[in-house]
Amino acid sequence: MGDVRVRFAPSPTGYLHVGGARTALYNWLFARHHGGKFLLRIEDTDVKRSTPEMTDNILKSLEWLGLTWDEELVYQSQRLEIYREVAKELVNKGLAYYCYTPEGESECIEVAPEEAEGKKVAIKFRVPKSERIEFTDLIRGHIVFEGKDIKDFVIMKSDGYPTYQLAVVVDDHSMGITHVIRGEDHIPNTPKQILIYRAMGWELPQFAHLPMILGPDKKKLSKRHGAVSVLEYRRQGYLSEALFNFLALLGWSPGEDREIVPKDEMISLFDIKKVGKRAAVFDMQKLNWINSVYIRMKTDDELLELLRPFFSEVGVTDDEAIRKLIPLYKERARTLRDFVELSRYFFEDVTEYDEKGVKKHFKRPLEVASRLETCLSELEKLENWTAQDIEGVVRGVAESLDVSAAKLIHPIRLSITGMTFGPGLFELMEALGKETVLNRLRRAIEWLKMRGAQDTPE
RNA sequence: GGCCCCGUCGUCUAAUGGCUAGGAUCCCGCUCUUUCAAGGCGGUGGCACGGGUUCGAAUCCCGUCGGGGCCA
């Protein structure tokens, strides 16, 4: 397939959501696979609802996903004259007509060109009722529409702006688009557009209609389903590669049971004909899994870069502080945000102990306090504050007290983090630092003694 | 309402008309382990339904039902 040219044509009336992103992604993969061009067109003819902010959001989203485009952006708002000329040409050919809506009426009526002068008229395309319009969709195969089922449709509104149907065809033609890859919701538009191509004597592109993306309730994905904006996923701590991988697999499979597929391999494996036909539900759990896989594939240095903005949001700007957390949480985090959430006790005091943890590990307060005191005094003596040596001390204390190491480990964890789970305790203690650990142990011992005094005066 | 698209585990998907319908995720066990996670092992779970074609159907055809989309 030579000289493939595809495009993504969002309208800047909203941010880029994951459905649009997936359409862009498939266009991009198709272009890259065939060594063709991926173009971008901003469909901003809805002047009232289009904003530069949204255009910005869309471009940022695409950049973040690595969906680089070729050639310059096309803005429909700068091409209004061309649409008007084409519409006029269709009228001249008798294939479209002026349509006037009298005051108070909802339907317009055809008027002759002479009569149209000075009136606010729309232009409608005259659908040949006896014709059959068919095309072969790259994904769905042969699709047939009957002309009689299609009503004459507006191509130019009375305010002088083109409708979607006209603008798409004119632009796709003048941009030399060879393959129109878009959402399934455009299937009913296709025959109308084909009629315009025919009327103008333009060569038809190939069409491929992608399945929809649904929410968990199987309804078309929308704001109601929570985060749908691409940049929102970035904010939530998803990696660009992970969202890319996830979206690519939503409706397409590279075969051979592949799940984690790097971008370059994706390009060589991508085949539009293997895209599925059925709508796919956006499954956050799978995204989370893919994200966690990509997090684990990152080097610590790469993660440091990625984590900076998330930590600075909570006031942590010390690289070294972040760096030492990375190995601790790398295989426990599903999102970048998790690093921050899971390591709170590094930056905040422990003010309370997990309720279930207290029941389990602080059950006999005085007994636990005394064990912790032994640990405390041994740890105070420890010069070389490394995970290995800390472990030696703790296990040594366990042995001398004749209790299992777990009897010390769990209470220590609860004391120094307030939580019952987390990274390996000794690495955690090393990372927290001697002073912090000792202080938190002292505080826990005090807490336990108070608790023991009021609890059970046996 | 008219037209169009679609229907394989809960979810994402694989399966030239031919082995006990495969993988991933989720969930549940077991294992490893100081906990959690990661890892390893195992398990529950699916061809929407009914006809036909065929030696043989998830796969082809028809119908029903269900879901979705566009237009009104």
Side-chain angles (χ1 to χ4, degrees):
Chain A
M1 222 177 297
D3 301 334
V4 161
R5 290 171 71 82
V6 295
R7 48 57 170 188
F8 177 57
S11 61
T13 54
Y15 47 69
L16 184 68
H17 56 89
V18 291
R22 201 263 250 127
T23 301
L25 177 51
Y26 281 17
N27 272 284
W28 185 88
L29 283 172
F30 185 79
R32 294 291 171 263
H33 178 86
H34 292 288
K37 300 276 194 236
F38 171 67
L39 311 180
L40 214 51
R41 180 173 72 227
I42 306 298
E43 307 214 326
D44 55 351
T45 54
D46 185 341
V47 188
K48 276 177 237 133
R49 299 196 303 136
S50 297
T51 68
E53 288 73 30
M54 287 310 169
T55 300
D56 195 52
N57 176 291
I58 291 164
L59 298 185
K60 267 212 186 86
S61 301
L62 294 173
E63 273 167 10
W64 181 62
L65 283 169
L67 302 180
T68 49
W69 56 92
D70 311 300
E71 303 187 6
E72 261 178 71
L73 258 63
V74 173
Y75 288 88
Q76 286 192 330
S77 57
Q78 293 172 3
R79 298 168 47 78
L80 297 175
E81 259 332 292
I82 303 170
Y83 309 127
R84 287 169 193 154
E85 278 163 27
V86 171
K88 198 167 285 177
E89 186 178 337
L90 288 171
V91 173
N92 291 342
K93 284 180 173 168
L95 299 171
Y97 56 86
Y98 292 108
C99 207
Y100 175 69
T101 311
E103 201 75 31
E105 297 289 318
S106 59
E107 294 233 343
C108 65
I109 46 168
E110 180 172 357
V111 293
E114 314 82 75
E115 280 180 83
E117 287 299 323
K119 280 185 182 148
K120 284 207 79 170
V121 290
I123 298 177
K124 268 188 156 183
F125 189 89
R126 199 189 308 278
V127 175
K129 298 298 172 189
S130 59
E131 271 186 50
R132 167 174 291 177
I133 303 108
E134 39 199 328
F135 63 99
T136 301
D137 189 287
L138 257 22
I139 293 168
R140 280 149 217 281
H142 197 226
I143 298 178
V144 184
F145 288 87
E146 299 294 339
K148 66 175 168 54
D149 294 326
I150 304 171
K151 294 185 179 148
D152 289 358
F153 55 93
V154 177
I155 55 176
M156 187 65 75
K157 293 179 278 180
S158 59
D159 61 8
Y161 284 94
T163 60
Y164 168 76
Q165 313 290 2
L166 209 224
V168 176
V169 174
V170 171
D171 291 337
D172 283 342
H173 170 74
S174 69
M175 290 166 80
I177 299 304
T178 57
H179 300 260
V180 172
I181 303 170
R182 65 211 326 185
E184 178 184 18
D185 44 342
H186 286 293
I187 293 177
N189 289 328
T190 307
K192 298 178 185 175
Q193 292 163 17
I194 289 176
L195 287 172
I196 299 178
Y197 277 102
R198 280 194 204 162
M200 292 303 293
W202 290 339
E203 193 185 341
L204 282 173
Q206 297 259 76
F207 292 97
H209 288 96
L210 271 20
M212 303 266 85
I213 297 182
L214 274 26
D217 56 356
K218 308 232 179 175
K219 296 273 196 265
K220 192 174 172 177
L221 199 63
S222 74
K223 294 115 231 149
R224 292 184 298 104
H225 299 104
V228 289
S229 151
V230 167
L231 293 185
E232 178 62 16
Y233 283 94
R234 178 172 72 173
R235 226 175 58 78
Q236 294 296 337
Y238 291 90
L239 301 184
S240 151
E241 300 94 312
L243 189 59
F244 188 107
N245 194 145
F246 173 71
L247 253 21
L249 260 43
L250 211 53
W252 171 71
S253 164
E256 294 177 10
D257 298 333
R258 299 290 305 276
E259 300 285 342
I260 303 296
V261 187
K263 209 174 273 190
D264 51 349
E265 222 174 319
M266 198 86 83
I267 292 170
S268 65
L269 290 171
F270 188 75
D271 180 358
I272 192 82
K273 293 206 171 90
K274 289 181 79 176
V275 171
K277 297 181 179 75
R278 61 198 269 240
V281 173
F282 190 93
D283 181 11
M284 281 299 288
Q285 290 186 314
K286 187 137 185 181
L287 207 212
N288 284 334
W289 173 72
I290 290 182
N291 205 51
S292 74
V293 172
Y294 276 89
I295 285 177
R296 274 176 265 135
M297 293 194 312
K298 290 282 181 200
T299 66
D300 289 5
D301 284 342
E302 288 169 328
L303 282 173
L304 176 64
E305 292 293 320
L306 292 163
L307 286 168
R308 267 197 204 110
F310 290 90
F311 275 100
S312 85
E313 209 173 299
V314 294
V316 177
T317 51
D318 175 11
D319 271 9
E320 283 320 299
I322 300 170
R323 185 181 288 282
K324 66 182 179 186
L325 299 177
I326 292 171
L328 260 30
Y329 298 99
K330 193 171 178 174
E331 60 182 31
R332 293 176 170 78
R334 293 178 312 171
T335 65
L336 295 173
R337 185 153 280 201
D338 279 352
F339 280 86
V340 178
E341 309 271 325
L342 294 172
S343 66
R344 302 195 87 88
Y345 43 77
F346 268 83
F347 309 101
E348 295 168 8
D349 275 340
V350 173
T351 53
E352 55 184 2
Y353 304 113
D354 176 80
E355 201 181 316
K356 278 186 192 147
V358 169
K359 275 189 191 147
K360 209 168 174 185
H361 307 302
F362 283 178
K363 201 170 182 182
R364 299 165 190 278
L366 298 179
E367 203 177 306
V368 175
S370 124
R371 281 184 204 141
L372 289 180
E373 273 178 324
T374 313
C375 288
L376 177 63
S377 65
E378 290 304 311
L379 287 168
E380 276 170 341
K381 284 184 251 169
L382 183 61
E383 293 284 323
N384 194 22
W385 192 258
T386 63
Q388 202 181 1
D389 288 5
I390 296 167
E391 176 159 14
V393 169
V394 174
R395 292 199 188 276
V397 171
E399 208 166 316
S400 71
L401 293 178
D402 197 27
V403 294
S404 69
K407 287 273 187 244
L408 298 177
I409 287 170
H410 294 302
I412 293 174
R413 177 186 299 285
L414 191 58
S415 303
I416 65 175
T417 69
M419 292 163 47
T420 58
F421 61 90
L425 184 72
F426 309 113
E427 289 74 24
L428 184 61
M429 288 168 79
E430 178 187 326
L432 268 174
K434 188 171 179 180
E435 278 313 299
T436 305
V437 168
L438 297 186
N439 282 335
R440 288 183 185 176
L441 281 176
R442 287 187 194 108
R443 192 181 299 186
I445 290 165
E446 240 169 83
W447 188 92
L448 282 161
K449 282 183 173 168
M450 270 174 54
R451 175 90 171 213
Q454 51 188 233
D455 250 21
T456 39
E458 280 169 280

